[in-house]
Amino acid sequence: FAAAVGGVAAASLAAAPAVAQALGGGARALGVRRVQTGENFQGVYWRDGRYESQALRQLDWVLRDPGMEEATPMDPRLFDVLAAVQARMGSDENWLVISGYRAPETNAARARQSRRVSRVSLHMSGMAADVQLPGRASLQLARVAAEMQLGGVGLYRRDGFIHLDCGPTRRW
C-alpha cells in the first residue's frame, strides 16, 4: 500500500508544473453544474498561491454523492485538472458533472451493474469526476486531456462523457 501511495504522490507532483504552465500563476476559477441536482459553483478556488477553503467546501457539496447526500473533501488537484483542460480547450462553459464523489455503497452498487466501474475507484477518494463540456465532443476532450498527462483519462464515448482524475497518468 505504501508503494502505491508513493506512486500516486510522485505522479501528482510531476503534474504540478504542467498545471501551473496551463493555468499560469494568477487566480484559478472554475464553473461546474451538477447534472442530477442542478446546483452550480462558479468562482475562484485558488488565489495568491493557495486554495480558497470556502470555495473548496462549496465544490465539495456540489460534487457530493447526491443519492447518499454525502460529501467528502475533494482533492483540490482535481479542480486544477478540470481548469487546465478547460483552458486548453479555450472554453468558458461550465463543466457538467455526471459523477463526482461516490460513497463506497454507491460505487459498489454501480460496480455490480457494470464491469466498467472500478471497485477501487478514485471517485471514492474525491479524486475523480465524470464530466462533459458543452460544445466539445467527448473524444476531443479525452485526447486533449490525455495529451496533457495530468492524471487519468477515461473515454465513455457511448455515454458522451469523460472521466478525469488527479491520480497517476493513464488512459482507457
Side-chain angles (χ1 to χ4, degrees), residues 34 36-37 64-70 101-103 106 110:
R34 187 60 187 251
Q36 295 88 340
T37 66
R64 73 187 180 281
D65 183 328
M68 302 288 285
E69 286 297 313
E70 183 177 317
Y101 168 67
R102 286 189 206 142
T106 300
R110 289 200 181 169

Side-chain angles (χ1 to χ4, degrees), residues 32-37 59-67 70 74 78-79 82 95-103 106-107 110 117-118 121-132 156 159-165:
V32 298
R33 182 170 66 85
R34 187 60 187 251
V35 172
Q36 295 88 340
T37 66
L59 281 160
D60 293 344
W61 185 248
V62 173
L63 272 72
R64 73 187 180 281
D65 183 328
E70 183 177 317
M74 299 297 289
L78 175 62
F79 307 133
L82 291 169
W95 285 102
L96 302 178
V97 177
I98 290 112
S99 183
Y101 168 67
R102 286 189 206 142
T106 300
N107 197 75
R110 289 200 181 169
V117 176
S118 171
S121 172
L122 291 180
H123 286 275
M124 294 187 296
S125 302
M127 295 174 66
D130 295 338
V131 293
Q132 297 171 319
Y156 296 88
D159 299 313
F161 68 82
I162 64 169
H163 166 101
L164 293 175
D165 67 52

Side-chain angles (χ1 to χ4, degrees), residues 13-14 17 37 46 51 54 57 71-72 78 86 120 127 140 148 153 161-162 170:
L13 290 175
T37 66
W46 190 87
Y51 293 102
Q54 180 65 24
R57 282 193 297 275
T72 196
L78 175 62
Q86 183 178 31
V120 292
M127 295 174 66
Q140 178 190 26
M148 294 176 77
V153 179
F161 68 82
I162 64 169
R170 64 213 186 289

